[in-house]
Amino acid sequence: MGRAHPAFFVIFLAILAPLGAVVVVSALLLFGVQPHLVFAPGWAVKSLLEVCGVRAPNAVGVACTVGLWWLLIVAIGLAWERRGRRHIP
């Protein structure tokens, strides 16, 4: 079994992981998790920016939350790929 084409990983990073992040945030809201808990990481970044003197709009908090989920999905994907490579003889 050969190694997967690098284009598949680029598609994963650019299309599937961001869509997955949006789906995770949407699903959390749909299933009743309080919005202040879902968006807590983004609001923390927004608050940090405001402490530094930068007036950040709410979209920054939302984007940071989705970005955090994107990073988590990418980390899982990288671990999955590394695990798959280790088992190839």
Side-chain angles (χ1 to χ4, degrees):
M1 180 180 222
R3 185 175 165 175
H5 197 278
F8 293 142
F9 191 66
V10 172
I11 290 170
F12 170 74
L13 287 177
I15 297 172
L16 296 178
L19 284 175
V22 170
V23 167
V24 167
V25 170
S26 299
L28 287 171
L29 292 171
L30 179 68
F31 291 123
V33 178
Q34 296 295 321
H36 69 272
L37 292 175
V38 173
F39 295 107
W43 299 140
V45 171
K46 185 178 179 268
S47 296
L48 179 66
L49 288 173
E50 289 178 356
V51 165
C52 294
V54 177
R55 172 101 171 90
N58 287 342
V60 171
V62 173
C64 287
T65 299
V66 172
L68 178 72
W69 280 105
W70 177 81
L71 282 174
L72 183 63
I73 292 170
V74 167
I76 291 168
L78 286 171
W80 185 271
E81 183 177 326
R82 176 171 280 172
R83 185 185 70 89
R85 260 194 257 153
R86 216 177 336 153
H87 289 87
I88 297 174

